[in-house]
Amino acid sequence: VVTLLETAAFLLDQPKTPKVVLDSFGSPSECVARTEAGELVLGRAEAVYFYQGAEGRGACFAFEGVKHLLRCFRGYLLVLSSPGGRATAPIGSSTAGAPPAFQL
């Protein structure tokens, strides 16, 4: 379960401690995805984080930029982010007649 404030796993087969906090940060729902292998993927401004069940954080790919959208498709991870570590125009809008600049 991912909220804006934390990332947690719920162990339904263990009634005494069903909730395990994986990280003390979360992510917006559009920046959370699940791979075909079952890994949880979180996009944050500083990096993209992978989680495998209740074991906690696994691989981390650090690249700066505000992440707007994460999606997994056939083994690929799509990350829609703003370049340069800062937000440009909102998705689908433009400024001064120019299309918004997003990295794919």
Side-chain angles (χ1 to χ4, degrees):
V1 176
V2 179
T3 68
L4 292 175
L5 302 176
E6 75 177 5
T7 303
F10 285 87
L11 308 175
L12 301 178
D13 60 342
Q14 297 180 4
K16 290 187 179 184
T17 54
K19 180 180 176 183
V20 176
V21 176
L22 302 175
D23 261 320
S24 60
F25 59 79
S27 188
S29 62
E30 58 273 359
C31 293
V32 178
R34 183 166 294 279
T35 67
E36 291 177 2
E39 291 178 298
L40 182 67
V41 187
L42 252 71
R44 294 182 44 87
E46 68 278 2
V48 173
Y49 299 95
F50 287 77
Y51 297 86
Q52 181 64 43
E55 290 87 42
R57 191 184 317 160
C60 168
F61 296 96
F63 65 97
E64 291 186 4
V66 176
K67 311 307 183 278
H68 299 282
L69 180 72
L70 259 71
R71 292 293 182 261
C72 293
F73 181 72
R74 295 187 180 176
Y76 292 94
L77 175 63
L78 171 72
V79 179
L80 183 63
S81 67
S82 297
R86 59 181 170 77
T88 57
I91 295 173
S93 70
S94 62
T95 56
F102 294 112
Q103 293 175 327
L104 289 178

